[in-house]
Amino acid sequence: MIKGILQYAHTLLEESLQPGDTAIDATCGNGHDTLFLCQTVGANGHVYAFDIQEQAITNTAQRLAAAHQTNATIIQDSHANFVNHIPVDRLNRIGGAIFNLGYLPGSDKSVVTKGESTILALEGILEHLKPGGTIVLVVYHGHSGGKTEKDALMHYVRSIDQQICNVLYYGFVNQKNNPPFILALHKKAHQDH
């Protein structure tokens, strides 16, 4: 059975995250991924959820409260600044991260993720990611500026050393209107020599 984009994103993270891990929701939006990550890392794990929009912070906080999840810290800041918000003992336990690139559904479509900050965050998270950890990017690129971000991202991920990381592309090629696709970066458990 072929999985939909969001379902497959979650499957990749479930296979990568362990109870007690640190996880990052780099674009918490309406909190769906944050809640999923909280449940996946369990009570001893912790999720750091980022968004630049106040509406996203509010929506995520409400979703977590309704589900009685208390193992998350929600931060109104760019994901590029993640390292400033995560304690060192949690930084080296990052087992996975997810980005939903584009704009907040049901919100101002002019506020979008940008290639520069996404790549900065991606580089930093990859550096701190545990061996065997996975970063999933769900790339929505049908909006204004989306193609520029997609192109910058594709250029960046193609340049990542395959000895360090496998990069997967997953998407439906026959859907109309710029269908979203996944980029998944899986950090190798050991470097090949």
Side-chain angles (χ1 to χ4, degrees), residues 136-186:
V136 176
L137 299 106
V138 183
V139 184
Y140 295 90
H141 56 100
H143 58 280
S144 169
K147 183 185 181 323
T148 306
E149 181 177 34
K150 178 187 105 173
D151 291 348
L153 205 49
M154 291 303 290
H155 178 75
Y156 170 70
V157 298
R158 284 187 181 114
S159 74
I160 296 173
D161 184 345
Q162 68 182 23
Q163 307 297 327
I164 296 167
C165 192
N166 285 321
V167 181
L168 167 83
Y169 178 101
Y170 181 89
F172 296 97
V173 295
N174 66 338
Q175 291 182 355
K176 304 211 177 336
N177 301 322
N178 305 305
F181 62 90
I182 286 175
L183 291 171
L185 287 66
H186 180 75

Side-chain angles (χ1 to χ4, degrees), residues 59-77:
N59 294 353
T60 299
Q62 288 171 345
R63 185 169 306 282
L64 295 183
H68 307 290
Q69 289 292 333
T70 57
N71 59 336
T73 303
I74 307 168
I75 300 147
Q76 188 173 353
D77 195 2

Side-chain angles (χ1 to χ4, degrees), residues 18-155:
Q18 306 294 318
D21 275 352
T22 300
I24 295 175
D25 186 348
T27 49
C28 66
N30 289 313
H32 297 285
D33 290 330
T34 310
L35 177 57
F36 163 76
L37 292 172
C38 286
Q39 292 164 340
T40 305
V41 300
N44 293 326
H46 202 82
V47 177
Y48 292 88
F50 295 87
D51 212 292
I52 58 168
Q53 292 185 80
E54 194 171 336
Q55 186 62 54
I57 300 300
T58 302
N59 294 353
T60 299
Q62 288 171 345
R63 185 169 306 282
L64 295 183
H68 307 290
Q69 289 292 333
T70 57
N71 59 336
T73 303
I74 307 168
I75 300 147
Q76 188 173 353
D77 195 2
S78 169
H79 44 227
N81 301 323
F82 79 94
V83 78
N84 301 331
H85 299 281
I86 302 177
V88 174
D89 64 318
R90 286 270 175 208
L91 260 182
N92 50 26
R93 298 216 313 262
I94 298 173
I98 188 166
F99 291 71
N100 272 292
L101 304 180
Y103 54 82
L104 175 62
S107 183
D108 181 352
K109 290 188 168 97
S110 70
V111 181
V112 295
T113 53
K114 300 271 197 291
E116 304 79 40
S117 64
T118 298
I119 290 168
L120 268 174
L122 197 52
E123 279 182 319
I125 294 170
L126 187 56
E127 187 180 318
H128 291 282
L129 193 66
K130 290 188 341 187
T134 301
I135 302 169
V136 176
L137 299 106
V138 183
V139 184
Y140 295 90
H141 56 100
H143 58 280
S144 169
K147 183 185 181 323
T148 306
E149 181 177 34
K150 178 187 105 173
D151 291 348
L153 205 49
M154 291 303 290
H155 178 75

